[in-house]
Amino acid sequence: MRIISVAVLIVLLNGLISWLANLPQEAGPDVPQGKLNSLSFAPFREGQGPMDGVFPTAEQLDADLHLLAEKTHNIRTYASAEGTMPAIPALAQKYGLTMTQGAWLGSIDKGNKTEIEALIKAANAYPDVIKRVIVGNEVLLRGDLEPDALVKYIRQVKQSVKQPVSYADVWSMYMKYPELIKEVDFITIHILPYWEDEPITVEQAPGHIERIYKLVQKEANAIAPGKPILIGESGWPSEGRQRGWAVPGIVNEAKFIRGLIKVANANDFDYNIVEAINQSWKSELEGVVGANWGLFSVERKEVFPLTGKVYENPEWYKSFFISIAIFLIVAVTFRKQLKNLPNLELLGLLFFLQWLVCLLVNQAENLWYTSYSDWQRLSAVIMVGLNTLLSGFILQRSYGFLTRKTANFKFASWIYTIYILFVGFAIYKTFGLALNGRYISFPIVSAYIPVSGVIGLMIISYFTERRWTLKSLEFNRLVGHKNNKPRQGKIIAYIMIVGAVSLVVGETNAFLESRDLIIAYPDFVERFTLAFSFTITNLQLLQWVACLAVLGFPLLIGENKKSSL
């Protein structure tokens, strides 16, 4: 009865915390009529993508456009000739959608010719559906074409279609190549505050968009007065790594879109949101963040609504019930052993059990959601499996502390082995982030169990021994490991310190060397100060550095001789 009472108390506390942490949040004014002016539409599903040449069927395209007709008046496409893309205009017509049709240009002339021909053909065949056309997308940013070659394609299309013709790129490319302003019928700029060289908060984003739009408008009016401007891409990711002050999230994505529309309506801006559906294939190029810009998930489930309040995790209750079920099963299975514990120790161990289970369930959910290939899913399964084993061994060691039993050296060896594997993984990811971390997410979720396990063992060790010295916090003493190798542990800890410093330096340097930041802040000291502030205020980065500190500290203080256990 005592165990049941404590377990029920913990379950109720977990439920209260979970409910409070997942209350719906205000995300700004509703989108008028719950419908956007325009949405970027890439139709690929799981296992499909233009890089692999795997395209959706006509039936899948039909289902997507049926879905999008409820959310937007217009769609923007990026290619005209590949796969089943030529079928889109007829299906858009079926569902009353208009289109901004694009032609994908690259460095290969033959492919460009095919795309241009398909674009012209579609525009002339569906003049009531295709209202505007865009020749090329960020081809200058990628360096695939020179401006003169691009202009030739633009002129070719202008001579062949009746619709207005444009070229789409990040806004700074139109400032860099103002001659393009004369060539296009309307100017298409991408304003993506998350990817800006000076990333800002989601609250600052609407004002930033307004400022950039008017900056481009001023430049354009000096060359071709009154030429229309389309914000061809603007959006915010719902998942992925933080950049400076730009934090991905479902609520933040909803805030951004609603804030953008408010500014656009107030200033009569023309806009297109990127994008309709999450694109898993983009994770190969841009990591987790690249795959999560959609209103719908890759399974075609709504990520967030365009009206009303928004949940960061709308299905949080599923994880809650799973964690409760696992917690109760473990508590019931080991009820005989738990009877031996006094009330306070019982409460502490069951709370620790519930905490680890909640983290484990959250980790499994997050890693699976952000896995987009068979290899990534296998890696997620292995990671969760190792964390499950580690959780079990840590709980066993915690029980040993509380019952004053001698450490099980076999279990201790397993803890040591798995822990070192996680530390090796942490070092690998840290140096990857330091060297080229633009598209790499901070692996905080993967460190939940090792970090919480070490902290938990430290607390329980102090509770049972009533002393907290550096010796008592040494890793082998915490886990009861028999074969102490302090020198190796210290070397690993020193490598982690170097990695953490390298991460801060690498993140700062990435901002420091960014082209637009150099233009905006030519003074090095001013630019360095801003770049460093982006780094040291990045909460995800700081959380990861804290994880490294917790993982490395017990190894760093290893004794110079075998520990007494």
Side-chain angles (χ1 to χ4, degrees), residues 455 458-459 462 465-473:
I455 293 174
M458 287 180 177
I459 294 172
Y462 171 77
E465 298 180 1
R466 294 298 179 183
R467 60 190 178 91
W468 205 337
T469 64
L470 287 180
K471 182 179 178 180
S472 68
L473 300 180

Side-chain angles (χ1 to χ4, degrees), residues 247-305:
V247 183
I250 291 175
V251 173
N252 279 353
E253 183 179 3
K255 284 182 179 179
F256 176 86
I257 289 177
R258 296 187 191 186
L260 166 63
I261 293 171
K262 182 179 179 180
V263 166
N265 290 341
N267 292 275
D268 199 27
F269 293 165
D270 195 3
Y271 69 87
N272 172 78
I273 299 294
V274 62
E275 62 189 322
I277 301 165
N278 285 348
Q279 295 297 295
S280 57
W281 65 272
K282 290 185 178 180
S283 66
E284 299 178 34
L285 302 172
E286 300 175 0
V288 170
V289 72
N292 289 277
W293 290 69
L295 267 66
F296 293 93
S297 70
V298 71
E299 293 84 14
R300 275 52 181 173
K301 294 180 180 178
E302 186 177 66
V303 176
F304 63 91

Side-chain angles (χ1 to χ4, degrees), residues 197-208:
D197 289 345
E198 187 177 349
I200 56 178
T201 66
V202 71
E203 289 79 14
Q204 296 170 319
H208 171 78

Side-chain angles (χ1 to χ4, degrees), residues 197-198 508-534:
D197 289 345
E198 187 177 349
T508 302
N509 188 62
F511 288 117
L512 194 61
E513 294 183 343
S514 56
R515 186 180 63 85
D516 289 346
L517 208 67
I518 292 173
I519 295 173
Y521 303 93
D523 179 74
F524 177 81
V525 174
E526 184 182 13
R527 189 167 71 255
F528 174 80
T529 301
L530 184 61
F532 187 62
S533 70
F534 285 147

Side-chain angles (χ1 to χ4, degrees), residues 86-283:
I88 293 178
L91 294 172
Q93 185 178 49
K94 176 181 176 182
Y95 293 107
L97 289 164
T98 58
M99 291 181 61
T100 303
Q101 179 89 346
W104 186 264
L105 301 183
S107 57
I108 302 174
D109 291 338
K110 184 178 180 180
N112 291 343
K113 181 180 179 181
T114 302
E115 274 290 312
I116 293 296
E117 290 174 351
L119 173 64
I120 293 170
K121 180 180 179 181
N124 290 330
Y126 296 94
D128 295 333
V129 177
I130 300 174
K131 299 298 184 180
R132 295 182 287 198
V133 298
I134 295 178
V135 181
N137 184 73
E138 297 187 353
V139 69
L140 297 180
L141 179 67
R142 296 193 305 272
D144 288 345
L145 286 178
E146 293 297 323
D148 290 345
L150 173 63
V151 167
K152 290 180 180 179
Y153 289 121
I154 293 172
R155 290 176 178 175
Q156 179 184 349
V157 175
K158 286 179 69 174
Q159 293 170 359
S160 304
V161 303
K162 295 180 180 180
Q163 293 92 335
V165 178
S166 185
Y167 163 69
D169 212 322
V170 296
W171 64 270
S172 58
M173 286 294 106
Y174 268 98
M175 307 296 281
K176 184 178 181 180
Y177 302 108
E179 63 269 22
L180 290 174
I181 295 172
K182 294 181 180 179
E183 298 294 337
V184 297
D185 296 319
F186 64 99
I187 302 163
T188 303
I189 54 174
H190 297 170
I191 311 177
L192 299 161
Y194 172 84
W195 283 126
E196 294 278 7
D197 289 345
E198 187 177 349
I200 56 178
T201 66
V202 71
E203 289 79 14
Q204 296 170 319
H208 171 78
I209 290 171
E210 182 177 4
R211 181 178 67 83
I212 294 301
Y213 187 101
K214 291 181 178 179
L215 180 68
V216 176
Q217 189 177 52
K218 181 179 179 181
E219 177 77 11
N221 283 338
I223 298 171
K227 185 158 290 190
I229 299 175
L230 166 68
I231 301 175
E233 281 187 3
S234 200
W236 197 271
S238 62
E239 186 69 57
R241 64 112 71 207
Q242 181 177 343
R243 290 191 70 246
W245 302 333
V247 183
I250 291 175
V251 173
N252 279 353
E253 183 179 3
K255 284 182 179 179
F256 176 86
I257 289 177
R258 296 187 191 186
L260 166 63
I261 293 171
K262 182 179 179 180
V263 166
N265 290 341
N267 292 275
D268 199 27
F269 293 165
D270 195 3
Y271 69 87
N272 172 78
I273 299 294
V274 62
E275 62 189 322
I277 301 165
N278 285 348
Q279 295 297 295
S280 57
W281 65 272
K282 290 185 178 180
S283 66

Side-chain angles (χ1 to χ4, degrees), residues 11 91 144 291 330 333 336 342 368 384 395 423 442 495 520 527 544:
V11 167
L91 294 172
D144 288 345
V330 174
T333 302
K336 291 183 179 179
W368 190 261
V384 174
L395 287 167
V423 168
F442 295 100
I495 293 173
R527 189 167 71 255
W544 180 241

